[in-house]
Amino acid sequence: MRLSKSWTVAAKDLRIFKKKKVIVYSIVFFQIIVSVGLPLIIKVAESRSNSVRAAALPQVLDSFSFWYVIGSSILPLSLASYSLIGEKVQKSLEPLLATPTTDEEILAGKSIAAALPGLAATYLGATLFMVLMDRITHAKLGYLYYPNWNMAVILLVLTPLTIIYSIGVNILISSRSNDVRSAQQLGALMVLPLGLIYVLSETRVISLSVTNLLIIAAILAAADVAAFILAKAAFQREEILTRWK
Amino acid sequence: MIEVNNLSKVFGRVTAVDNVSFNVAKGEIFGFLGPNGAGKTTTIRMLCCLISKSGGEARIAGLNTSDAADSLQIRKLIGLVPDNVGLYEELSASDNLDFYGKLYECPADRRKENIETYLKMMGLWEKRDQPAGDFSKGMKQKLALARALVHDPGLLFLDEPTANLDPEAARLVRNLILELKQQGKTIFLNTHDLDEAQRICDRIGILSTKLLAINTPEELTSSVPGGKTVIQLERIDEAMLNALKKLKPPNFSIEENRFLIDVADPQKENPEYVRALVAAGGNVQFVTRSNPDLEEAYLKIVRDNR
Ligand SMILES: Nc1ncnc2c1ncn2[C@@H]1O[C@H](COP(=O)(O)OP(=O)(O)O)[C@@H](O)[C@H]1O
Ligand SMILES: [Mg+2]
């Protein structure tokens, strides 16, 4: 596999994404909601009643950090579906497959294009989130809560794994669907388990300790492998040209 | 350039291409003529290493289309304009070509040069920065042709390049195809347009799942018997009709002021008809011969094979 080929495909997709304002806005919007919105919630709660107990803060903050995992599963959704369904609708896969490029190289290119904006947005957003949270909670906690190991595992392990999972599932859905919106909605279903984890941690049924995060990571890694084996099977030139609807 | 032996493709229970064999020589425009569903697109896809074959063998420039390593090599040697042109509508004309130039491993300076050359050839250079989505159908077809040329392939596959174009745009594309032949390119053309096949192809294969005939347009036409002599008179009256009938032509008809007569040996028979008509008081304006055209040849070949 020649990565330069994949990069050519990815760069072309990124160029098209940039021209689709909906995509750009949806990524920026999500990051603002989470990275600025969550610190604001703490600040408002603090100033209203001064009722947030220092002992309860870590649990709340760890749950909030998990939003970046949920975000990583949502952000590539629209990108992956646009990049594949876009090619299907424009019928551009046939000339693309006629070039001296292998199926794997194209698949990798599409995946890189879908991954990069989400990854960059998550890292930028999370940095902003950590800075704002530290400023707001420093006085109460007496120390800087971020960066910490939880966030490190979330950003460096869970985020990439979730993005890969999200893209793999999306390639599968896109191979069967011609409608970007329904593909996104179907793809959003896979966010549900992650949402459930968030709710369970928010309600203190489970804690998002480093150990628990690593267990989630292990499950995600297995799901990644499964999703990509299936995606690779769906992304065969003959399959694409003769059976993709 | 192209050697095809007993090529077949089966989709489930549908046989799309059945045991087809032919060769295409370097520098030739070879036309695949056939109705919708004849297997033209399927054949092109097999030759471009896009789909597998169910049987037989196809070689391009001596390379085997079934071999994975050869197939990457083959794809560098050929350019394809599929039936749906499949441009990136959001990208500009030159960005579309640049992307393909990169994928075809065309070095940056040659890519730049070729993009300019072919956009100019297609008359799209002034519009190079406009998104392809803004182009008319004819312009898109020309841009797709430029895209197939950006890496200087020697062999082009064009899948119905003038279908859905207005007559003027279609003519322009046909002239471009002839220009490419002048440049020494080998061209494999799918079409269901008889007139187009006759006008630009050096040889034609008539396909309807099976390859029914393969020859030059002239040979295909003359393989169908029965030319007609057309005699146009100022006007036709009863006396002339009787004079003609006396010579007992095997078959004739009247269209306005013209007699259309089936003639086996024109050199011998035409003067007799003309003399008889003049004697009957006819003012002969034209005497011409109408050969069966490709359409008749095609319909006969297809009918004979049902
Ligand atoms: N992906 C496919 N699955 C099943 N049948 C197909 C597929 N592609 C083409 N066919 C069938 O193969 C035959 C030839 O199709 P095609 O090559 O597209 O014809 P043409 O290009 O001459 O119009 C048709 O009967 C068509 O229905
Ligand atoms: Mg076709």
Side-chain angles (χ1 to χ4, degrees), chain B residues 35-42 83 159-160 190:
Chain B
N36 290 330
K40 304 183 295 294
T41 299
T42 304
D83 48 358
D159 198 351
E160 308 208 14
N190 274 354

Side-chain angles (χ1 to χ4, degrees), chain A residues 32-226:
Chain A
I32 290 176
I33 295 276
V34 175
S35 306
V36 180
L38 294 179
L40 270 180
I41 290 176
I42 300 285
K43 188 161 177 71
V44 169
E46 188 79 338
S47 61
R48 279 266 171 83
S49 52
N50 204 19
S51 64
V52 186
R53 287 178 298 110
L57 257 182
Q59 170 87 25
V60 172
L61 292 182
D62 284 350
S63 299
F64 280 0
S65 307
F66 198 74
W67 269 105
Y68 287 99
V69 179
I70 295 175
S72 323
S73 70
I74 296 170
L75 292 179
L77 279 181
S78 54
L79 299 179
S81 35
Y82 267 112
S83 95
L84 272 176
I85 293 178
E87 300 251 12
K88 273 168 80 173
V89 171
Q90 299 191 350
K91 314 256 185 220
S92 47
L93 282 166
E94 186 164 0
L96 180 61
L97 290 166
T99 65
T101 315
T102 64
D103 304 347
E104 290 84 16
E105 285 158 358
I106 295 173
L107 184 62
K110 297 255 146 215
S111 306
I112 292 169
L116 282 187
L119 199 61
T122 300
Y123 286 177
L124 279 176
T127 307
L128 180 64
F129 170 85
M130 290 190 282
V131 170
L132 291 176
M133 274 305 192
D134 277 344
R135 287 191 65 153
I136 293 165
T137 59
H138 184 226
K140 177 140 268 173
L141 290 173
Y143 63 99
L144 292 178
Y145 194 72
Y146 293 109
N148 58 12
W149 282 112
N150 290 53
M151 200 54 153
V153 172
I154 283 176
L155 292 181
L156 300 178
V157 182
L158 281 174
T159 296
L161 287 174
T162 311
I163 287 178
I164 293 170
Y165 174 59
S166 168
I167 291 170
V169 169
N170 250 275
I171 289 168
L172 279 177
I173 295 171
S174 300
S175 73
R176 294 283 170 267
S177 162
N178 269 325
D179 175 28
V180 172
R181 206 167 308 157
S182 64
Q184 285 172 4
Q185 282 161 0
L186 211 61
L189 284 180
M190 60 159 232
V191 181
L192 286 180
L194 296 172
L196 185 67
I197 292 174
Y198 172 74
V199 171
L200 290 179
S201 88
E202 206 48 292
T203 53
R204 303 188 176 207
V205 177
I206 58 169
S207 91
L208 292 174
S209 62
V210 170
T211 318
N212 283 348
L213 288 176
L214 287 174
I215 291 171
I216 297 170
I219 296 170
L220 267 172
D224 283 359
V225 173

Side-chain angles (χ1 to χ4, degrees), chain B residues 97-264:
Chain B
L97 299 193
D98 191 57
F99 172 61
Y100 275 87
K102 280 183 189 152
L103 286 183
Y104 278 110
E105 299 158 32
C106 193
D109 45 348
R110 192 155 69 92
R111 201 162 68 225
K112 197 160 163 257
E113 205 174 289
N114 283 355
I115 290 173
E116 180 168 348
T117 307
Y118 289 114
L119 281 180
K120 281 185 174 161
M121 177 178 176
M122 303 298 155
L124 296 171
W125 179 243
E126 308 300 322
K127 299 196 160 62
R128 62 187 176 276
D129 294 326
Q130 279 186 28
D134 293 355
F135 284 8
S136 70
K137 271 190 182 147
M139 286 155 72
K140 282 182 182 168
Q141 195 69 44
K142 286 189 283 180
L143 183 55
L145 203 50
R147 181 185 66 191
L149 289 161
V150 76
H151 56 296
D152 290 322
L155 173 59
L156 281 177
F157 287 93
L158 312 177
D159 198 351
E160 308 208 14
T162 59
N164 310 317
L165 296 189
D166 62 62
E168 201 186 336
R171 189 198 177 110
L172 212 72
V173 169
R174 272 181 215 128
N175 288 340
L176 287 166
I177 295 172
L178 289 170
E179 203 177 323
L180 291 167
K181 176 188 154 74
Q182 294 301 314
Q183 297 179 6
K185 310 255 185 230
T186 310
I187 295 163
F188 186 108
L189 174 84
N190 274 354
T191 182
H192 63 241
D193 186 330
L194 289 143
D195 193 42
E196 170 171 297
Q198 184 155 28
R199 262 196 263 177
I200 68 175
C201 295
D202 298 315
R203 282 192 311 138
I204 296 172
I206 295 182
L207 185 77
S208 178
T209 311
K210 291 179 166 60
L211 190 57
L212 305 181
I214 178 165
N215 219 323
T216 60
E218 296 76 30
E219 288 291 323
L220 281 175
T221 346
S222 61
S223 68
V224 183
K228 282 183 168 56
T229 291
V230 181
I231 303 177
Q232 183 177 320
L233 297 128
E234 196 177 281
R235 56 179 192 86
I236 292 176
D237 64 19
E238 201 66 25
M240 295 170 209
L241 192 59
N242 288 331
L244 187 70
K245 279 182 180 160
K246 255 192 210 147
L247 292 170
K248 299 202 172 63
N251 199 5
F252 78 98
S253 58
I254 300 174
E255 270 178 19
E256 292 175 33
N257 56 340
R258 287 188 293 271
F259 284 114
L260 281 71
I261 314 165
D262 280 13
V263 171

